[in-house]
Amino acid sequence: MAHAHASIVDAPAAGPASASALVCALPHAAWLVALPQAVVVAANEAAARLLGRPVGELVGAPAQQLAASPEDLAWWAAMAGSGWRSSGCPTEGPVAPLLDSDTVFAAAAGQARHVRRSISLVPDEADTGRAWALVMVIDRTPEQAVDAEREARVAELEATLESAADGLLVTDLAGGLRSFNRRFAAMWGLPDELLRARDDAGIVAWMQRSVLEPGAYAQRLRTLFDSPLLAATDRVALLGGPVFERVTRPLWRDGRPQGRVWAYRDLSERLAAEERIETLSSTDPLTGLPNRRVMSGWVEAAAQASGGSGEGRQGFAVMVVDLDHFRQINVSLGHAMGDRVLRHVGERLQGCLRDDDRLARIGGDQFGVLLTGADARAAEATARRMLNVVAQPCALEGATFTLTCSIGIALAPAHGRSADELARHAEAAMRAVKQAGRANVRLHQARAEVDRRSHMMLDHAMRQALVSGRFRLAYQPQVSLADGRIVGAEALLRWRDPELGEVPPARFIPVAEESGFIVAIGDWVLAQAVRQAALWHQRGWQVPVAVNVSALQFHQAQFVERVASVLAVAALPPRLLELELTESILVHDADEALARLHELHRLGARMSIDDFGTGYSSLAYLKRFPIGKLKIDRSFVQGLPGDETDAGIVRAILQMSLALDMRVIAEGVETEQQREFLVREGCAEMQGYLYAPALDPLSFEQRLAQSRVDEAGPAQPGAGAPGQRIRLVRG
Ligand code: C2E
Ligand code: MG
Ligand code: MG
């Protein structure tokens, strides 16, 4: 502030005229006060404007009236009390102000003005004994408003930064710290000592030490500081888990980058939430295993990895594991227990897998497995292990039970390349296991689909054959081992198709059984065979005819009535009809089968068990049924007499038949050695190519006539050498 230095040249009582002129010339408000009266003797226009009173009104006014702040009043009072002389006044050199401070004036219209006010003594150079004080006032109200506004702004900004959820840091161009907010300090866990000491280098080092990858972090910082104009967003992972999103922008001032602003946002919670969502959408909540969606993803990825050509190609296996009769667990033990069992099974299955293999729960009681780098053998071995562990008894909450599972396997790339295709094949293989009796494993058969189509075509052709009369029956003689006489005939179905040629029963019977068409075929065979037997009967030949009966046919509600009616219509004595049943008929629904067998028995028909030994019949079982005859399956006859096992089985069957009082016929006898063994072991009858294959009715009749002639002919060497009378006929 410029201080006025007025020289009093001549000193009138009212005040020096030159001093008045000087006051008027000053750029700021000023007035001259005569001492010791403290009366204003001169004032300028600026003072009149500031105080809102004309100059004329100001002159003559007491000094305390013009500037009446407590400080001013106190000064004038002190001045009056002490006497102006005592305050001293240098006669030489610049005059120092006696009072110089900021204060507030009540100005024109009662407005408060922020001012800088100074009071200086005007030296009495002429030594007139009179003195003056010069009051000068600079209005700082506009500046003061700007300052106040700036302060308010800064305060607001600080409050804003402090309340920001992000950690904020400002650095200069060289990376030196300029400022940061508390959130920044908290996020980085800056220790109090560093903050108190404002140890910037320590803070930078602390940050460097806190990150997960210090090398990459430092490299990134260098890049950013080397490019002051670069704006960037990236992530910083800290030791111990937190992950920050870091946004940095250049800090501009005067059109030039002055440094950088860094904003850190803690992503940990968001990432954790994302992870939770991802987990929920990909995990089966019951077992904690990945779900079907994830399983599809694995298979798709594996298929893609194996899809390329060259060295890296690797096959893999997809398995579907389905628990057998799991519903029973839920029904009998409750759903809570069912849940526990599923978790338990999941753990057992996991235990069978290598680290690279993957297990998922893909349905209610269904698990999916991906075996990497597995071929058919490896997959089957793993599946067998799984069957085994699942079948271990379970003891949960006091209940002990045993579970089994059915497993289907599809191999990539042999069985398919897409996740969908492989899953479909594995599932179909699993269904096939279920159909075949469960608790087993099966590999997808690439042929299965082809088979299904050819089955459909065959089924269609069979239906055509029946209505077009292309089926016929052939009769295979059954011969007494004692004397070689024909004691019966087995009716065997023959089919020559115009396109397919001669179709063997082993090929079309299973298809007919599957489609149910066997019922219609069986009905035709029964009627046809009974008619033939009746015809022979009318000609005086008492030849029992054996008819093969399928399980499905046997279980038809009207089966017994049907047999009775066919016999009645043909007027065939029932004892000349033999029904060949399979063991499966007796095992399946035994009580119903037993009732039906008794009805047939009462009717007078004979019954035998075909292919005996291949099923599950036990001795105790057979005792209950009115069965007159066992037919030893061809497979046991084949190895006779050399194969010990076959020989043992045949002997056992023969002994058993004695105990049960049943007759026995051996099927598929082809050699003299087989026949001799059977004779030796006491078997009564045989059937096989050694004597004759299945013959058309005419040929059969000729053999029959021949057999009767032999019987009625000249005396034979006896029952001991029947072989001489049996001619080997091969069809
Ligand atoms: P199956 O009832 O065990 O019939 C005996 C099968 O053994 C017949 O085959 C017969 O030709 C064959 N065979 C007889 N002697 C010998 C021999 O010495 N060596 C060999 N290797 N085989 C011999 P086929 O006629 O091909 O019949 C096969 C099966 O088809 C039958 O086995 C039977 O289960 C079924 N089948 C045949 N006709 C009918 C029928 O009318 N109804 C039903 N439901 N099934 C039938
Ligand atoms: Mg048979
Ligand atoms: Mg048989």
Side-chain angles (χ1 to χ4, degrees):
M1 172 172 191
H3 297 284
H5 187 188
S7 174
I8 308 297
V9 188
D10 80 293
S18 57
S20 298
L22 195 69
V23 167
C24 288
L26 286 172
H28 301 293
W31 53 90
L32 194 65
V33 180
L35 298 175
Q37 302 91 328
V39 172
V40 174
V41 293
N44 61 9
E45 275 303 318
R49 271 198 307 279
L50 176 74
L51 299 170
R53 296 163 71 180
V55 172
E57 211 176 284
L58 297 178
V59 174
Q64 297 95 315
Q65 205 183 70
L66 270 53
S69 79
E71 201 181 1
D72 287 77
L73 295 179
W75 191 85
W76 289 112
M79 182 59 83
S82 64
W84 61 272
R85 281 179 199 282
S86 65
S87 64
C89 185
T91 51
E92 280 167 20
V95 179
L98 297 173
L99 180 64
D100 183 11
S101 65
D102 290 337
T103 182
V104 179
F105 270 20
Q111 273 182 332
R113 308 298 295 183
H114 293 267
V115 299
R116 180 90 190 177
R117 174 264 301 112
S118 66
I119 303 177
S120 334
L121 283 178
V122 179
D124 182 13
E125 281 173 358
D127 207 11
T128 59
R130 295 157 64 186
W132 295 270
L134 179 66
V135 179
M136 260 204 310
V137 180
I138 299 171
D139 190 358
R140 296 194 55 205
T141 305
E143 279 171 50
Q144 176 69 29
V146 171
D147 281 355
E149 176 66 15
R150 186 182 299 129
E151 257 171 49
R153 285 278 176 105
V154 169
E156 272 170 29
L157 208 59
E158 256 174 30
T160 306
L161 294 187
E162 283 307 336
S163 64
D166 293 347
L168 299 169
L169 167 70
V170 180
T171 54
D172 59 26
L173 283 175
L177 304 192
R178 305 241 339 137
S179 57
F180 51 79
N181 64 359
R182 268 193 282 274
R183 176 82 184 124
F184 168 84
M187 283 172 75
W188 283 90
L190 298 181
D192 280 346
E193 313 86 80
L194 286 181
L195 294 173
R196 265 200 306 275
R198 274 259 23 178
D199 177 359
D200 288 358
I203 290 174
V204 169
W206 174 272
M207 290 169 73
Q208 169 80 28
R209 278 201 305 274
S210 304
V211 297
L212 201 60
E213 291 171 352
Y217 174 82
Q219 171 66 39
R220 180 79 180 137
L221 284 190
R222 268 197 298 281
T223 308
L224 289 168
F225 282 117
D226 285 350
S227 327
L229 299 182
L230 200 67
T233 302
D234 53 19
R235 285 187 181 187
V236 181
L238 265 55
L239 291 167
V243 177
F244 297 159
E245 181 183 64
R246 175 174 64 182
V247 179
T248 178
R249 302 248 174 287
L251 176 66
W252 295 87
R253 202 181 322 125
D254 301 332
R256 284 167 54 192
Q258 300 293 317
R260 282 191 166 280
V261 180
W262 310 76
Y264 296 89
R265 175 164 300 181
D266 194 344
L267 298 181
S268 310
E269 268 182 35
R270 200 182 86 196
L271 294 177
E274 277 172 12
E275 206 169 300
R276 263 199 306 282
I277 291 167
E278 171 64 21
T279 306
L280 284 177
S281 66
S282 63
T283 307
D284 161 44
L286 180 65
T287 57
L289 290 171
N291 60 18
R292 179 181 279 273
R293 198 175 65 87
V294 176
M295 171 90 192
S296 300
W298 291 337
V299 177
E300 210 60 79
Q304 253 162 36
S306 73
S309 53
E311 285 299 286
R313 271 181 60 186
Q314 210 186 27
F316 62 94
V318 175
M319 307 208 285
V320 172
V321 182
D322 193 291
L323 298 182
D324 298 330
H325 301 302
F326 181 70
R327 227 173 64 84
Q328 282 177 6
I329 299 272
N330 271 337
V331 170
S332 56
L333 300 175
H335 282 266
M337 189 63 153
D339 289 353
R340 291 204 52 192
V341 170
L342 286 171
R343 277 194 288 270
H344 192 69
V345 169
E347 286 163 17
R348 287 188 178 187
L349 292 177
Q350 190 79 69
C352 299
L353 300 177
R354 300 165 307 169
D355 285 351
D356 290 350
D357 301 334
R358 297 271 170 274
L359 175 68
R361 178 164 173 241
I362 58 175
D365 59 351
Q366 225 174 64
F367 295 85
V369 178
L370 171 76
L371 297 181
T372 44
D375 58 7
R377 261 187 57 198
E380 215 174 316
T382 304
R384 297 253 168 241
R385 272 206 305 281
M386 289 182 155
L387 286 176
N388 227 331
V389 295
V390 170
Q392 296 302 310
C394 254
L396 287 177
E397 288 171 8
T400 307
F401 49 89
T402 303
L403 270 177
T404 59
C405 62
S406 301
I407 304 180
I409 305 173
L411 296 171
H415 298 156
R417 291 181 182 275
S418 75
D420 188 52
E421 202 179 354
L422 289 164
R424 213 156 32 78
H425 289 334
E427 181 133 359
M430 181 276 288
R431 298 254 160 258
V433 174
K434 294 261 181 199
Q435 267 179 12
R438 303 184 165 80
N440 211 338
V441 52
R442 184 174 291 203
L443 208 62
H444 165 70
Q445 244 99 56
R447 284 193 47 78
E449 214 141 321
V450 177
D451 287 352
R452 257 194 297 285
R453 305 229 338 253
S454 71
H455 272 202
M456 278 170 58
M457 286 164 60
L458 203 61
D459 193 62
H460 175 74
M462 257 184 321
R463 288 167 199 266
Q464 297 298 305
L466 189 62
V467 291
S468 316
R470 286 190 205 115
F471 283 123
R472 63 187 198 283
L473 287 181
Y475 297 87
Q476 184 171 36
Q478 299 182 329
V479 190
S480 161
L481 277 166
D483 54 18
R485 278 190 312 126
I486 292 178
V487 292
E490 178 176 6
L492 291 164
L493 190 56
R494 295 291 175 260
W495 171 25
R496 175 180 287 281
D497 185 85
E499 280 171 33
L500 302 170
E502 192 74 34
V503 189
R507 185 148 163 243
F508 69 83
I509 296 282
V511 176
E513 279 175 335
E514 206 180 283
S515 73
F517 190 55
I518 191 68
V519 175
I521 295 179
D523 211 44
W524 180 86
V525 171
L526 179 68
Q528 184 70 17
V530 166
R531 258 199 305 276
Q532 183 63 67
L535 207 68
W536 286 330
H537 178 57
Q538 283 162 23
R539 295 189 194 157
W541 289 314
Q542 310 266 323
V543 188
V545 173
V547 172
N548 292 283
V549 177
S550 272
L552 196 62
Q553 189 186 0
F554 179 83
H555 288 292
Q556 293 295 301
Q558 308 296 314
F559 180 67
V560 179
E561 288 84 339
R562 178 71 191 147
V563 172
S565 121
V566 166
L567 288 170
V569 167
L572 180 73
R575 62 183 166 78
L576 292 182
L577 173 66
E578 182 175 289
L579 301 172
E580 289 194 7
L581 310 173
T582 60
E583 285 178 88
S584 67
I585 289 177
L586 310 183
V587 173
H588 172 88
D589 213 347
D591 290 337
E592 200 214 302
L594 186 61
R596 191 153 291 189
L597 289 172
H598 280 298
E599 285 177 57
L600 292 166
H601 185 63
R602 274 195 295 277
L603 197 65
R606 300 202 221 174
M607 277 161 292
S608 61
I609 299 183
D610 202 356
D611 306 335
F612 187 76
T614 57
Y616 301 94
S617 317
S618 69
L619 185 64
Y621 222 85
L622 289 174
K623 270 168 119 168
R624 308 164 63 201
F625 300 111
I627 305 274
K629 187 170 169 184
L630 299 179
K631 301 189 71 178
I632 300 178
D633 190 64
R634 199 165 73 228
S635 59
F636 303 117
V637 175
Q638 223 162 30
L640 298 180
D643 188 298
E644 292 287 323
T645 313
D646 285 353
I649 288 171
V650 169
R651 270 194 209 102
I653 293 175
L654 289 169
Q655 272 162 23
M656 188 175 89
S657 70
L658 283 177
L660 292 170
D661 195 21
M662 283 178 167
R663 287 187 301 135
V664 175
I665 180 165
E667 290 187 273
V669 179
E670 295 181 349
T671 67
E672 187 54 34
Q673 288 81 1
Q674 288 167 351
R675 192 192 65 82
E676 277 165 10
F677 177 91
L678 292 164
V679 169
R680 209 164 45 241
E681 295 299 329
C683 183
E685 298 170 9
M686 62 153 251
Q687 172 181 348
Y689 295 162
L690 180 64
Y691 184 76
L695 307 167
D696 60 81
L698 206 63
S699 309
F700 184 84
E701 283 169 25
Q702 287 169 357
R703 295 300 295 266
L704 195 59
Q706 181 67 42
S707 155
R708 303 291 149 132
V709 168
D710 286 352
E711 188 186 349
Q716 292 299 314
Q724 291 174 342
R725 280 178 283 128
I726 295 169
R727 268 159 292 178
L728 181 66
V729 182
R730 285 199 183 270

